């Protein structure tokens, strides 16, 4: 069991409250900061935070890159995020009553990594993403005999058609589906969107099989079960005790998911059932951007896709999700200038430019 310093614990509680209430950080972010601070305390032997000095900062920075015994070395990105979290904490602490005269503000700078190390921490090989054809194959392989199976297919289809984050999808209500306009309205008053943004996502036209997986589910909830707009779109599973079989899961209950883990479990089962490697729901956002690359003909169309993902800037879409898969990158480079319809594309571009001039 870890040791602890009572005075430090009180300070950490105050800082956690600051992060949640004043800085509006998510619970996941707060937990990450608490983990980073615990690492720092373990390094210093749980010394009082008021005794912080540059030797502690330098030593802690070095310790993160140096495994003890046979322990696994931390990844570069983990080292960077840990140091940044601890550094921000001491910057906050240095202006708190009782610590202004104790904390050497110059010592806080010794948490900094070199520019080389920062570049290494921010660089990583591209992660593979499923193709849209693979997603369609997975959806087609998912069974739909039971109510739970139909719910799971609806979850998968919604993320395919919108790229909605799993945490947001798990908190959607039935009223957030606008069937007439073929849209999902992620209202931050109810939906756990990133940075509490309002995101209005038009469903991608991926074919009747994909659309029906979601829309038939919505119809079932509204018409067969008579559920209302404030009821969950993806309800929790119903657990009960069967006299013969014991604990069973065979229905749904009028309760929203508290987190995103059920959706990740759905995706894992779906990919395994289709005989494909597992991709997280978040990787589907890359798939949507790849689909945009293949289908968009104008900057305006790509901007629409960017907004659909909840991005204020196209730059965010391109930098965060727009990396071209390596196989496609090779194909584009090897065939650059050889496209058979290059003249037609140039002609369309000139027509658009001419139309804009008029």
């Amino acid at each position: 069991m870890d040791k602890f310093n009572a005075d430090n614990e009180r300070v950490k509680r105050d800082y956690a409250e600051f992060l949640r209430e004043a800085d509006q950080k998510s619970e996941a972010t707060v937990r990450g900061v608490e983990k980073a601070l615990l690492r720092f305390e373990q390094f210093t032997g749980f010394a009082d935070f008021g005794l912080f000095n540059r030797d502690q900062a330098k030593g802690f920075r070095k310790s993160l890159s140096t495994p003890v015994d046979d322990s696994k070395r931390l990844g570069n990105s983990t080292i960077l995020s840990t140091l940044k979290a601890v550094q921000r904490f001491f910057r906050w602490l240095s202006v708190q009553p009782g610590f202004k005269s104790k904390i050497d503000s110059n010592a806080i700078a010794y948490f900094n990594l070199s520019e080389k190390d920062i570049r290494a921490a921010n660089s990583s090989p591209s992660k593979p993403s499923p193709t849209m054809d693979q997603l369609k194959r997975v959806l087609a392989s998912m069974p739909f005999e039971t109510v739970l199976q139909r719910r799971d297919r609806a979850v998968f289809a919604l993320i395919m058609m919108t790229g909605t984050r799993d945490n947001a999808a798990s908190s959607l209500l039935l009223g957030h589906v606008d069937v007439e306009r073929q849209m999902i309205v992620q209202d931050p008053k109810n939906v756990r969107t990133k940075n509490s943004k309002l995101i209005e996502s038009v469903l991608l036209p991926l074919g009747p099989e994909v659309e029906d997986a979601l829309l038939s589910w919505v119809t079932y909830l509204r018409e067969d079960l008579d559920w209302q707009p404030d009821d969950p779109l993806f309800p929790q599973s119903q657990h009960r005790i069967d006299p013969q079989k014991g604990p069973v899961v065979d229905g749904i209950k009028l309760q929203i998911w508290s987190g995103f883990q059920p959706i990740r479990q759905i995706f894992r089962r779906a990919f395994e059932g289709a005989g494909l490697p597992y991709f997280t729901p978040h990787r589907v956002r890359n798939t949507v951007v790849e689909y945009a690359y293949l289908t968009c003909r104008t900057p305006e169309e790509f901007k629409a896709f960017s907004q659909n993902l909840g991005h204020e800037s196209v730059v965010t879409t391109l930098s965060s999700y727009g990396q071209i898969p390596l196989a496609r990158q090779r194909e584009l480079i090897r065939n650059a200038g050889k496209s058979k319809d290059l003249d037609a594309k140039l002609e369309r571009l000139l027509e658009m430019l001419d139309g804009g001039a008029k």
Side-chain angles (χ1 to χ4, degrees):
M1 183 176 179
D2 287 319
K3 299 177 181 178
F4 73 96
N5 181 308
D7 291 333
N8 286 359
E9 292 300 311
R10 285 190 288 271
V11 173
K12 288 193 293 183
R13 281 197 297 271
D14 289 344
Y15 185 55
E17 181 182 7
F18 168 80
L19 291 175
R20 292 188 184 98
E21 303 299 332
D23 221 17
Q24 292 293 297
K25 297 301 184 185
S26 68
E27 197 59 36
T29 298
V30 175
R31 288 197 297 270
V33 171
E34 290 172 338
K35 185 176 181 179
L37 291 176
L38 177 59
R39 278 198 171 113
F40 178 78
E41 286 188 285
Q42 289 170 333
F43 169 76
T44 64
F46 292 86
D48 193 285
F49 287 142
L51 300 177
F52 170 71
N53 56 64
R54 68 180 62 184
D55 289 333
Q56 287 182 349
K58 291 163 62 178
F60 180 60
R61 185 188 66 204
K62 183 178 180 181
S63 73
L64 293 177
S65 303
T66 308
V68 178
D69 300 326
D70 295 328
S71 58
K72 185 178 178 181
R73 181 187 182 277
L74 295 176
N76 291 330
S77 60
T78 302
I79 292 173
L80 179 60
S81 64
T82 299
L83 290 172
K84 281 186 173 181
V86 177
Q87 188 177 57
R88 291 192 191 104
F89 165 74
F90 278 106
R91 284 176 180 158
W92 169 85
L93 189 62
S94 67
V95 297
Q96 301 306 306
F99 288 92
K100 293 180 181 179
S101 61
K102 294 181 180 180
I103 303 296
D104 178 4
S105 58
N106 290 324
I108 299 174
Y110 284 82
F111 284 115
N112 290 334
L113 290 173
S114 68
E115 291 184 2
K116 177 183 177 182
D117 289 336
I118 292 175
R119 283 195 298 271
N122 290 325
S123 302
S124 60
S126 59
K127 295 180 181 180
S129 301
T131 65
M132 195 60 78
D133 284 342
Q134 285 177 320
L135 292 178
K136 289 182 178 180
R137 171 181 161 187
V138 172
L139 183 67
S141 72
M142 295 176 72
F144 51 91
E145 285 78 18
T146 70
V147 64
L148 292 178
Q149 291 169 346
R150 291 169 62 189
R151 179 203 61 187
D152 293 354
R153 292 184 83 247
V155 169
F156 199 93
L158 177 133
I159 293 178
M160 279 181 65
M161 290 189 287
T162 62
T164 300
R165 290 182 172 86
D166 49 15
N167 199 30
S170 65
S171 57
L172 285 169
L173 303 179
L174 191 53
H176 294 140
V177 183
D178 188 333
V179 176
E180 184 177 345
R181 294 193 297 163
Q182 296 282 288
M183 291 181 63
I184 303 295
V185 181
Q186 301 177 50
D187 188 340
K189 291 195 293 291
N190 312 104
V191 182
R192 296 186 291 266
T193 60
K194 186 176 181 180
N195 299 324
S196 298
K197 287 183 179 179
L198 171 66
I199 304 174
E200 297 175 299
S201 301
V202 179
L203 301 178
L204 298 186
L206 300 180
E209 297 83 2
V210 182
E211 294 177 5
D212 183 66
L214 173 64
L215 299 181
S216 64
W217 173 251
V218 172
T219 300
Y220 169 74
L221 294 179
R222 288 177 175 172
E223 298 182 4
D224 293 31
L225 301 186
D226 197 29
W227 282 18
Q228 302 304 305
D230 289 337
D231 293 332
L233 176 61
F234 303 123
Q236 289 189 23
S237 303
Q238 177 70 55
H239 298 257
R240 66 179 180 86
I241 302 297
D242 184 278
Q244 304 298 326
K245 302 178 182 178
V248 295
V249 182
D250 60 359
I252 56 175
K253 60 182 178 181
L254 202 61
Q255 190 169 341
I256 202 165
W257 279 322
S258 59
F260 54 76
Q261 286 303 329
I263 291 185
R264 296 194 179 183
Q265 292 167 6
I266 288 170
F267 266 65
R268 187 176 295 278
R269 290 195 300 267
F271 279 104
E272 288 177 355
L276 292 173
Y278 168 61
F279 293 98
T280 65
H282 196 77
R283 300 308 302 170
V284 178
R285 293 174 69 81
N286 296 70
T287 309
V288 170
V289 176
E290 183 180 350
Y291 178 84
Y293 281 150
L294 297 173
T295 58
C296 290
R297 296 166 297 173
T298 67
E300 185 181 30
E301 288 181 351
F302 194 85
K303 174 63 176 177
F305 271 83
S306 180
Q307 288 180 189
N308 229 43
L309 291 170
H311 295 156
E312 295 178 4
S313 170
V314 171
V315 174
T316 303
T317 309
L318 292 170
S319 61
S320 298
Y321 303 101
Q323 185 161 6
I324 297 172
L326 184 58
R328 178 62 175 160
Q329 173 185 334
R330 183 179 185 280
E331 178 185 347
L332 290 170
I333 291 175
R334 297 290 293 180
N335 295 294
K338 300 178 183 179
S339 176
K340 294 180 180 180
D341 62 340
L342 180 60
D343 291 339
K345 289 183 177 180
L346 287 174
E347 185 176 347
R348 287 199 300 269
L349 177 60
L350 290 173
E351 287 176 355
M352 284 189 291
L353 292 174
D354 184 53
K358 294 179 180 177

